[in-house]
Amino acid sequence: MDVMGDKATLLDTGRFVQPSDRDETGDGEAVDEARTRLAAEAGDVEATSVLGAMLLRRGDLDGAEPLLRAATAEGDRAAANNLGVLLHQRGYTDDAAGWWRIAAVAGSAAAAHALGRYHRERGDEPAAEYWLRQSAEQGHALGAYALADLLEHRGDAAAERWMRSAAERGHREAAYRLARALDRQAPHEDEYEGGADNGVGSAPGAVAAPGDPGNEAEQWYRQAAARGHQRAALQLGAILEKRGELKEAGRWYLTSAKDGEARAACALGFLLRDAGDTESAAVWWLRAAQDGDGNAANALGALHAERGETQTAERWYRAAMDAGDVNGAYNLGLLCAEQARNAQAEQWYRRAAYAGHREAANALAVLLLQGGDATGAEPWFSKAAEAGSVDAAFNLGILFAGRGEEGVALPWYERAAAAGHTEAALQVGIARLRDGDEREAERHLRCAAGGGSAEAAYRLASVLDARRPPAPAHELGEQVHEKTECEEWYERAASQGHRRAQVRVGMLAAARGDVVEAARWYREAAEAGSRNGAFNLGLLLAREGSEPEAAVWWARAADAGHGRAALRLALVYARRGELAEGQRWADRAVTLGPREVSERAARLRDALRQELTA
């Protein structure tokens, strides 16, 4: 227990001059002690008390005890308090309490604090509260903090008042705990939370407005951190990082990390990694991981995995797991899966999934599904989805849709779509189109298209295209073309490689007379395997007088099953006089259809056959 002096000491009375800033050396302390000793030997009670306190602080209990007893006998309450401290250090706690009681009754706030703590350690909370309140009401910071701790333990709302009182008097732990209490009252949580999968840092969150508990919490974190509280420095760094003030956040993380806070070292590593300094990040992650931080071990594992150092990555993932971080098992599963070690991947996924890791449950279900075990996959998808995994909700929708249970699949797609899953939004949009709810379909297709889905952009463009009014006729001059929203979505889908959108953009370009643009989009679609693109490109080339090249693209389209392309080829060869080749393509067109194409191709085939047999 700390030495508890009293306000009424010789240094406070001015009878001894306090050492100046430039005299804070061993020689200065020796001079002070010598002066105090002379005054004590001359019978000065306060000097005797101060000298006893000096020796007590130095650890010279044998030298301090007679001096403190002598001063106590003369009624010095500071000496009585310090005598209690000395006896407590010797292990005579009951005797110490007796002297603390004497000093406390005489008005010593420090003794009242010590006596309160003595009673609390023995489970006598009423007595503890009485004495701690006496100390706190006299303005003693330690007494106020101990009283707040006692009241908080009981759930008493008055705890905050005394914690604030202690914090205002410079108690750094009180400032930290007051900040924590205010943080819990705020509508957001600025506390640092580790454990991101694969060593990925957390995303920025909300910032408290002025006057909010969260804003006041930051001020108390700052005060505690400025007084050297390492956890307060960590929390302050997290608040600043979420606000985007990364430079100052890094300074506080560094301060906390240097004081031995592993979580701060880990967070500093993430800041450095995001700034592009992976080597420095690795140094801090290593320091944190060696101190038992599982998140830092995961980050090191991810770093080595990215470098292809799989054995080192596995070692750090195991270290994370040993530190109690379930992400370690999940990341081990990912590592094994990348190496096609599926049996081991399943083992690690199961371990993490049973520990409640939702993404591990989803990964396990995917692995089982890929192995053909849909029955085993379903409960893991469900467990992950119910725990909030967006991917699992989407995968569960796919599983049910694959069984033809569209009605069961839709709610899972909707859940994933509500969480921002692009492909799920597309599936909901398709389902709503199928049901005839065009308004809801458009809403979901817009979400999916905005999220980068080319298929959604194409389908959205089709919906808008269907409701587009016919272009107005212009009596004079050329028709003015203004690009519509549906064309913009077609073009977005086409630029992402969507073949049907590319064909559609080509058709729109051809309709406005832009042959070069039309040919470009038809060619892109055709080269990507679109039979309609190849057919339309052939039509465009034929109109431009390049029938031989057109025949090449029609042949590609016909080989892919395009009946009209086969009919065009039959006509080309018939005109050239290559009747047998024309008959062959006409036969193909009859088979491919559609109906009107089959009928025309049949007539052409019969005519060619007659020519051949004539």
Side-chain angles (χ1 to χ4, degrees), residues 165-532:
S165 175
E168 289 170 348
R169 285 170 171 76
H171 195 292
R172 70 180 189 183
E173 183 66 23
Y176 171 72
R177 288 181 62 176
L178 177 60
R180 295 274 292 159
L182 292 168
D183 232 351
R184 286 189 289 270
Q185 296 171 20
H188 67 285
E189 181 63 48
D190 278 332
E191 180 183 359
Y192 169 79
E193 294 179 358
D197 294 349
N198 287 316
V200 178
S202 55
V207 178
D212 284 348
N215 188 270
E216 187 183 0
E218 179 185 338
Q219 304 309 314
W220 288 113
Y221 279 136
R222 192 175 291 277
Q223 289 197 31
R227 296 185 183 115
H229 196 291
Q230 59 180 301
R231 285 172 295 164
L234 168 66
Q235 300 294 349
L236 180 57
I239 292 171
L240 293 166
E241 181 184 0
K242 290 178 180 180
R243 192 185 298 154
E245 299 176 24
L246 303 184
K247 190 172 182 179
E248 188 180 358
R251 287 200 300 268
W252 286 112
Y253 282 148
L254 180 62
T255 298
S256 182
K258 285 182 175 178
D259 286 340
E261 178 56 64
R263 293 175 298 167
C266 179
L268 180 59
F270 285 126
L271 276 189
L272 290 167
R273 180 205 63 183
D274 293 343
D277 189 356
T278 54
E279 295 305 318
S280 296
V283 170
W284 287 105
W285 282 334
L286 178 61
R287 180 168 175 174
Q290 289 174 336
D291 287 339
D293 190 283
N295 196 27
N298 268 318
L300 281 174
L303 184 63
H304 287 290
E306 288 171 5
R307 295 172 177 174
E309 301 165 358
T310 55
Q311 289 186 336
T312 306
E314 184 169 339
R315 179 168 62 85
W316 282 114
Y317 286 149
R318 288 180 182 272
M321 189 171 59
D322 292 341
D325 192 328
V326 70
N327 285 313
Y330 172 59
N331 289 333
L332 276 170
L334 291 175
L335 193 66
C336 292
E338 287 172 2
Q339 298 170 345
R341 295 154 57 194
N342 290 344
Q344 289 174 287
E346 180 179 340
Q347 169 195 345
W348 292 118
Y349 285 151
R350 282 190 185 277
R351 181 165 180 172
Y354 278 121
H357 195 294
R358 66 189 187 191
E359 297 308 327
N362 178 59
L364 174 60
V366 170
L367 197 63
L368 293 171
L369 193 60
Q370 289 172 344
D373 186 5
T375 304
E378 183 180 339
W380 285 112
F381 276 140
S382 295
K383 184 174 182 180
E386 293 292 355
S389 170
V390 178
D391 287 336
F394 175 67
N395 289 337
L396 202 53
I398 291 176
L399 185 66
F400 286 120
R403 296 175 182 170
E405 301 176 43
E406 301 289 348
V408 182
L410 184 57
W412 291 109
Y413 284 144
E414 288 177 328
R415 179 181 294 198
H421 196 288
T422 297
E423 290 304 312
L426 169 61
Q427 294 303 321
V428 175
I430 292 172
R432 294 305 180 204
L433 277 178
R434 193 166 51 240
D435 295 339
D437 188 350
E438 191 174 290
R439 183 175 180 180
E440 274 299 292
E442 180 182 341
R443 184 172 71 84
H444 282 95
L445 290 174
R446 284 187 183 278
C447 290
S453 170
E455 180 66 23
Y458 173 74
R459 287 178 179 268
L460 174 60
S462 299
V463 169
L464 298 173
D465 203 1
R467 69 169 74 133
R468 184 171 55 163
H474 292 267
E475 296 180 358
L476 297 174
E478 296 182 359
Q479 181 173 332
V480 178
H481 178 76
E482 293 183 3
K483 189 176 292 185
T484 62
E485 186 186 4
C486 77
E487 289 181 72
E488 291 175 355
W489 285 114
Y490 278 135
E491 288 182 3
R492 180 180 295 194
S495 65
Q496 293 176 258
H498 194 285
R499 293 182 301 181
R500 285 177 295 168
Q502 289 170 340
V503 172
R504 185 62 181 150
V505 172
M507 292 172 66
L508 291 170
R512 62 177 180 263
D514 191 344
V515 177
V516 175
E517 184 73 359
R520 181 174 74 85
W521 284 113
Y522 286 151
R523 192 177 297 276
E524 278 200 37
E527 289 175 347
S530 168
R531 62 189 186 185
N532 285 329

Side-chain angles (χ1 to χ4, degrees), residues 99-132:
W99 291 110
W100 282 330
R101 182 179 294 276
I102 290 172
V105 169
S108 170
H113 164 247
L115 188 58
R117 289 187 58 183
Y118 166 83
H119 284 296
R120 187 174 181 191
E121 287 169 3
R122 277 151 184 75
D124 187 354
E125 289 198 0
E129 181 180 350
Y130 174 82
W131 288 110
L132 291 175

